[in-house]
Amino acid sequence: KIIGITGSFGKTSTKHFLYRILSERYNVLMTPGNFNTTLGVVRTVREHLKPHHEVFIVEMGAKQRGDIKEICDLVNPHMGVITSVGEMHLETFGSIEGVAQTKFELIEALPEGGVGVVNIDSEAARRYVEQNGLNVVTYGIDSEDADYRASDVAYSEVETHFSVEHDGVKDENYATHILGRGNILNITAALAIAEAMGVGVEARRRAVKQIEQVEHRLSMRRQGGITVLDDAYNSNPEGCLEAVRVLGSFSDMKKIIVTLVACVLGGMFAISAQNWVNGYTRKDGTTVQGYYRSDRNHTNHDNYSTSGNINPYTGSVGSTARDYSSEAYNYGGGRTIHTGPQGGQYYINDNGN
């Protein structure tokens, strides 16, 4: 069986989770690291795929239309997972609709009787499925109409517990060391594929319990008395906010966020200042520590730090308190951040304008 996995985010983690669960029954190969281009897949086939492999999991990346189709034409997948449709690489896709069309090239490539699995908590993915009347297996957490729905999700500093509802039954007592709502979604996708491939529920529970963290993707490690949540690989605002929410779920400890805010002048996309500030309102007492670039050539780096509870509309950020829908924030030292017209871009200069 060839299983393709694509999505704006979540595909690498889903690949790892699916590999672990299917390994309960099958001899499985997956594309290593970020080998998610046509060249990377070809190299994996030539160097690693052997006759004894029963399942080949192929991560599929795309930066322009036709990229997914090209990989599908190469490997001919029998099953496919779409983890998300988000605003990534819009400079080449043109719109989120363009992103959706490209990701769903995977579903279109499946043979008759093939199984497509789609995250309908992703609004753009749900819209594409409904508008095109696709016959796919759906999954989610918030979507009560999903074919596979994770429920009873409970977080602790040690484990995440959850159930999976499907086909009128509830599989309970799943536990994993993996953190974050997004990762529970990814595990749910893997469980849907695993059941379709005949992996029993007890084997699925055992595998989920033993899933190891994927480095730099909301992985947790302890150093002395410090707990570090490492989400360094993350490259999308939704995932960044999810990491903040996970941090906020820990109690009775001082919480510090260390981040590089790459603010680019001249209209290029940057993480929404509004979304980031909203993420910090979840808990009191969180300290944000990082630096931003304050000139067009990105050579001057200015430290900023803010702490305490930040109100999403009128609360204090740094030294000022304003409605940030169109206003600016002074972080000290004469540097000012402005939000863009829809809160999606922000700019920094040295003169307060």
Side-chain angles (χ1 to χ4, degrees), residues 44 82 139 183 204 284 304 325 335:
T44 304
I82 296 180
Y139 71 97
N183 277 326
R204 300 198 301 266
D284 292 342
Y304 69 85
S325 61
R335 275 60 171 173

Side-chain angles (χ1 to χ4, degrees), residues 27-307:
N27 194 317
V28 185
L29 173 70
M30 65 178 178
T31 50
N34 289 330
F35 279 34
N36 60 15
T37 64
T38 301
L39 182 60
V41 174
V42 168
R43 182 175 171 184
T44 304
V45 170
R46 289 173 60 89
E47 297 179 5
H48 302 287
L49 187 61
K50 306 298 180 184
H52 63 265
H53 287 125
E54 299 170 286
V55 179
F56 182 26
I57 303 172
V58 182
E59 180 179 342
M60 301 179 178
K63 290 189 177 180
Q64 60 189 3
R65 297 189 189 188
D67 282 354
I68 301 298
K69 182 180 184 302
E70 185 175 62
I71 299 175
C72 289
D73 289 344
L74 174 67
V75 300
N76 298 312
H78 304 94
M79 311 176 84
V81 179
I82 296 180
T83 62
S84 57
V85 174
E87 295 180 342
M88 307 290 281
H89 302 300
L90 293 184
E91 70 278 5
T92 53
F93 289 122
S95 66
I96 196 165
E97 290 75 22
V99 177
Q101 289 171 8
T102 303
K103 300 304 181 185
F104 276 86
E105 290 171 0
L106 171 56
I107 304 300
E108 294 168 2
L110 298 178
E112 184 176 354
V115 178
V117 177
V118 179
N119 171 21
I120 58 170
D121 277 3
S122 173
E123 183 178 334
R126 171 189 280 273
R127 185 166 59 247
Y128 193 91
V129 168
E130 293 175 345
Q131 289 176 350
N132 293 277
L134 299 181
N135 181 20
V136 294
V137 176
T138 60
Y139 71 97
I141 295 177
D142 298 328
S143 302
E144 295 185 2
D145 58 337
D147 297 315
Y148 283 76
R149 179 172 177 259
S151 61
D152 306 327
V153 181
Y155 301 101
S156 74
E157 295 174 25
V158 179
E159 287 184 325
T160 302
H161 295 265
F162 65 101
S163 303
V164 176
E165 301 173 18
H166 63 97
D167 301 316
V169 301
K170 179 187 281 190
D171 295 337
E172 300 178 318
N173 301 320
Y174 280 104
T176 179
H177 298 292
I178 303 301
L179 299 171
R181 174 187 177 280
N183 277 326
I184 299 304
L185 270 172
N186 297 336
I187 291 173
T188 303
L191 290 171
I193 290 286
E195 184 173 33
M197 293 190 63
V199 180
V201 64
E202 290 303 323
R204 300 198 301 266
R205 285 197 187 101
R206 180 171 59 249
V208 169
K209 179 79 171 180
Q210 296 174 357
I211 287 175
E212 296 182 359
Q213 300 180 102
V214 182
E215 189 177 19
H216 306 312
R217 291 168 172 85
L218 204 54
S219 57
M220 183 171 67
R221 65 180 186 272
R222 289 183 171 86
Q223 298 176 228
I226 299 174
T227 299
V228 178
L229 295 181
D230 180 357
D231 202 39
Y233 187 85
N234 211 319
S235 60
N236 69 89
E238 291 182 39
C240 292
L241 288 175
E242 175 60 25
V244 173
R245 294 186 188 104
V246 171
L247 179 64
S249 69
F250 294 156
S251 58
D252 301 324
M253 63 174 64
K254 181 179 180 180
K255 287 157 282 188
I256 300 173
I257 301 170
V258 181
T259 181
L260 164 65
V261 182
C263 302
V264 183
L265 296 177
M268 293 182 65
F269 174 79
I271 294 173
S272 166
Q274 180 170 346
N275 284 344
W276 273 91
V277 172
N278 273 334
Y280 301 150
T281 67
R282 300 281 177 176
K283 296 284 182 180
D284 292 342
T286 298
T287 297
V288 184
Q289 182 69 49
Y291 68 87
Y292 56 76
R293 290 165 172 154
S294 64
D295 71 321
R296 188 178 298 274
N297 295 321
H298 316 307
T299 56
N300 295 329
H301 300 85
D302 303 283
N303 292 325
Y304 69 85
S305 178
T306 180
S307 61

